């Protein structure tokens, strides 16, 4: 969300009609309104230089892609906590570099670095959160974790309204990361990951620590060693198993496309807030707050036997697709309840709910020994959608309805394709590839 505010274009006028070809000369003839600053006002990113704003955003999403590819397998091999702490540390450092960047090039490269660390850290922290609790709580913890993202967008809009200097805004919005980095040292390692690695005693110790925190000091925890764990295999499962294993291959192909569409539509609609009429900060806040109801909706539907994970994800994707497509048939004066803004917000709510559900659903479709690798590969295609998302709103130059047609068709196709995946509600979590194979026979 940083680029939506720090890349915003204020009103400006030029003191000559002829457009200078040299960027330095262009800057001397442009006069921006002084209601806020951004990288646009700092480095005069207008006219032929305007593409650099979308480029900085795309570099961030490219970083997310790299982070998802690398951090997932690393945390499967080295553990969740050390990889998470390392990523968060460098995420904070690179965030401060963005705030003090002396040139656009350094700013853009720092956004790439932040994307790498942010993407990897977010992935690992989500899995770590899920593995602290039993499967019956995964819907709740997953939804709450994703709801904080929605609240963060709305809070960021308020922060942007109060802080109009882009460097100060970047510095302040990055600072909570330093606080959470220190707090994260108190977190234990994932007991589920330790168990999958054969470290049964360490897993028992952490689970006893968690039980004491829940007021169950007298609870005696004894875990059984996993049969066929990595320690007894010729080689530990890795990313290649997602291709070579027949069950995982089919699931991964479908999930990759679903994640790609979720990201494309989600970030495309979010970034499109800057293109909408009205107050920039109010639009961003609305696009964040509209996601909050997605949390209770997901918790309700995915736990119902008649809906479950699969049908819920599919329904939200299809609804988001229809909501986006319908906007092309409505004008700005269509009325209070049938106008493009309301439908766009409805689409954002639906795709947020789908994004929320697919995180939980994907976690349950992959065994523990390869869960982070699976999530990493799915997130990789998710970030491809994020890379393309900043450029979709600019397709309004072709026709105002084109961006929503792209979002609509993508949502519909992903929704129907998702129905080919198996349901995971009330089914045990598989720990290794043997369990997965046994569950399919």
């Amino acid at each position: 969300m940083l680029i939506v505010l720090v890349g915003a274009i204020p009103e400006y006028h030029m003191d000559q009609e002829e457009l200078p070809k040299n960027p330095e000369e262009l800057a001397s003839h442009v006069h921006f309104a002084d209601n806020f600053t951004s990288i646009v006002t700092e480095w005069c990113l207008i006219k032929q230089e305007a593409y650099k704003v979308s480029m900085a955003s795309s570099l961030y999403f490219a970083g997310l892609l790299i982070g998802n590819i690398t951090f997932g397998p690393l945390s499967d091999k080295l553990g969740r906590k050390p990889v998470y702490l390392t990523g968060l540390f460098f995420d904070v450092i690179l965030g401060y570099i963005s705030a003090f960047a002396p040139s656009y090039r350094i700013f853009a490269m720092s956004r790439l670095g932040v994307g790498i660390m942010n993407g990897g850290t977010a992935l690992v922290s989500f899995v770590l959160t899920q593995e602290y609790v039993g499967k019956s709580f995964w819907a709740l913890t997953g939804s709450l974790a994703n709801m904080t993202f929605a609240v963060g967008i709305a809070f960021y809009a308020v922060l942007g309204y109060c802080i109009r200097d882009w460097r100060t805004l970047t510095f302040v919005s990055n600072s909570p990361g330093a606080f959470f980095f220190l707090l994260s040292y108190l977190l234990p390692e994932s007991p589920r990951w330790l168990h999958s690695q054969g470290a049964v005693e360490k897993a028992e110790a952490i689970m006893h620590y968690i039980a004491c925190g829940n007021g169950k000091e007298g609870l005696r925890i004894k875990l059984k060693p996993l049969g066929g764990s990595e320690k007894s295999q010729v080689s530990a499962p890795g990313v290649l198993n997602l291709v070579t294993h027949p069950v995982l291959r089919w699931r991964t192909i479908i999930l990759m496309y679903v994640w790609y569409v979720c990201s494309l539509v989600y970030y495309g609609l979010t970034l499109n807030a800057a293109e909408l009429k009205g107050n920039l900060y109010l639009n961003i806040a609305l696009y964040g707050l509209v996601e909050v109801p997605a949390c209770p909706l997901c918790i309700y539907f995915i736990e119902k036997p008649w809906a479950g994970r699969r049908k819920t994800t599919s329904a939200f994707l299809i609804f988001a697709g229809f909501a986006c497509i319908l906007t092309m048939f409505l004008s700005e004066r269509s009325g209070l309840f049938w106008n493009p803004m309301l439908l766009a917000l409805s689409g954002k709510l639906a795709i947020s709910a789908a994004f929320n559900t697919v995180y939980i659903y994907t976690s349950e479709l992959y065994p523990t020994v390869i869960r982070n690798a699976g999530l990493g590969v799915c997130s990789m295609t998710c970030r491809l959608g994020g890379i393309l998302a900043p450029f979709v709103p600019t397709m309004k130059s072709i026709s105002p309805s084109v961006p929503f047609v792209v979002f609509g068709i993508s949502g519909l196709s992903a929704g129907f394709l998702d129905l080919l995946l198996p349901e995971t509600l009330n089914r045990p979590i598989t720990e290794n590839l043997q369990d997965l194979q046994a569950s399919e026979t």
Side-chain angles (χ1 to χ4, degrees):
M1 285 305 299
L2 180 72
I3 201 65
V4 177
L5 290 179
V6 304
I9 304 175
E11 294 182 0
Y12 66 90
H13 70 274
M14 299 181 61
D15 55 18
Q16 68 174 33
E17 294 183 2
E18 185 179 352
L19 183 64
K21 296 181 179 180
N22 191 309
E24 289 75 16
E25 186 180 352
L26 174 64
S28 64
H29 293 285
V30 176
H31 303 280
F32 292 97
D34 58 0
N35 55 329
F36 65 87
T37 67
S38 66
I39 61 172
V40 175
T41 63
E42 182 88 11
W43 296 301
C44 198
L45 304 182
I46 60 172
K47 304 298 181 180
Q48 68 267 29
E49 298 292 306
Y51 75 93
K52 290 185 178 180
V53 178
S54 295
M55 181 64 70
S57 182
S58 291
L59 282 172
Y60 172 78
F61 284 107
L64 293 180
L65 186 153
I66 298 171
N68 293 152
I69 296 173
T70 55
F71 277 58
L74 279 176
S75 64
D76 280 335
K77 294 182 180 297
L78 304 178
R80 315 310 197 204
K81 183 178 178 179
V83 175
Y84 162 71
L85 287 175
T86 302
L88 183 57
F89 174 78
F90 286 106
D91 188 14
V92 174
I93 297 300
L94 289 164
Y96 284 128
I97 292 176
S98 295
F100 296 105
S103 66
Y104 169 80
R105 182 172 298 180
I106 294 177
F107 175 82
M109 288 300 101
S110 68
R111 298 314 298 166
L112 174 65
V114 168
I116 294 173
M117 299 304 158
N118 201 305
T121 302
L123 175 71
V124 178
S125 64
F126 179 83
V127 173
L128 186 59
T129 302
Q130 297 294 77
E131 292 181 348
Y132 280 147
V133 299
K135 189 196 171 188
S136 60
F137 290 95
W138 280 21
L140 177 62
T141 55
S143 297
L144 290 176
N146 287 320
M147 188 177 71
T148 59
F149 192 80
V151 175
I153 293 176
F155 178 75
Y156 192 70
V158 175
L159 205 60
Y161 179 80
C162 298
I163 304 174
R164 298 303 180 95
D165 177 69
W166 78 269
R167 291 187 183 276
T168 306
L169 176 62
T170 305
F171 180 89
V172 172
S173 61
N174 185 66
S175 295
F179 173 71
F180 286 113
F181 173 75
L182 297 175
L183 279 182
S184 296
Y185 269 101
L186 302 176
L187 296 174
E189 179 57 273
S190 163
R192 190 179 289 274
W193 179 82
L194 289 170
H195 187 218
S196 71
Q197 300 299 305
V200 179
E201 292 182 0
K202 291 182 179 179
E204 290 173 347
I206 291 174
M207 292 187 70
H208 181 72
Y209 168 77
I210 295 174
C212 290
N214 291 332
K216 298 180 179 179
E217 293 84 355
L219 188 63
R220 188 170 181 270
I221 299 173
K222 189 67 177 177
L223 300 175
K224 294 181 180 180
L226 285 178
S229 65
E230 278 98 327
K231 301 297 182 181
S232 63
Q233 293 182 14
V234 176
S235 61
V239 177
L240 285 179
N241 288 96
L242 300 177
V243 178
T244 58
H245 197 284
V247 176
L248 291 176
R249 180 171 60 245
W250 180 240
R251 291 184 183 182
T252 302
I253 291 172
I254 297 176
L255 287 170
M256 284 171 68
Y257 182 70
V258 171
W259 278 68
Y260 162 79
V261 169
C262 283
S263 180
L264 177 71
V265 179
Y266 178 89
Y267 288 109
L269 288 174
T270 302
L271 296 171
N272 192 58
E275 305 286 333
L276 296 176
K277 296 179 181 179
N279 185 278
L280 171 65
Y281 305 101
L282 178 60
N283 289 339
I284 294 174
L286 287 174
Y287 265 63
L289 291 174
V290 76
E291 296 182 37
V292 175
C295 175
L297 282 175
C298 288
I299 294 175
Y300 176 78
F301 283 111
I302 64 179
E303 293 296 335
K304 298 297 180 181
W306 47 267
R309 275 64 161 153
R310 179 172 62 109
K311 292 180 182 177
T312 300
T313 305
S314 178
F316 280 131
L317 284 167
I318 293 172
F319 181 86
F322 276 123
C324 290
I325 288 177
L326 285 175
T327 59
M328 63 185 291
F329 300 107
L330 301 177
S331 65
E332 295 291 338
R333 300 179 180 179
S334 299
L336 179 61
F337 296 102
W338 288 99
N339 62 73
M341 178 64 173
L342 183 60
L343 279 176
L345 288 172
S346 300
K348 182 70 188 302
L349 168 63
I351 201 64
S352 300
F355 220 154
N356 188 358
T357 309
V358 80
Y359 262 98
I360 302 167
Y361 190 26
T362 305
S363 298
E364 296 175 351
L365 285 171
Y366 286 111
T368 299
V369 295
I370 203 170
R371 182 169 297 122
N372 250 331
L375 279 168
V377 170
C378 291
S379 295
M380 176 188 71
T381 54
C382 168
R383 303 318 167 190
L384 287 175
I387 292 171
L388 296 176
F391 296 99
V392 177
T394 63
M395 297 172 70
K396 282 187 174 181
S397 59
I398 303 173
S399 172
S401 61
V402 170
F404 292 102
V405 172
V406 173
F407 297 146
I409 294 175
S410 299
L412 290 173
S413 59
F416 289 116
L417 196 59
D418 179 77
L419 292 173
L420 299 176
L421 292 170
E423 181 55 68
T424 59
L425 178 64
N426 297 328
R427 295 187 181 181
I429 293 295
T430 54
E431 300 293 344
N432 49 45
L433 299 183
Q434 285 78 8
D435 292 344
L436 176 67
Q437 195 66 43
S439 67
E440 293 294 316
T441 57

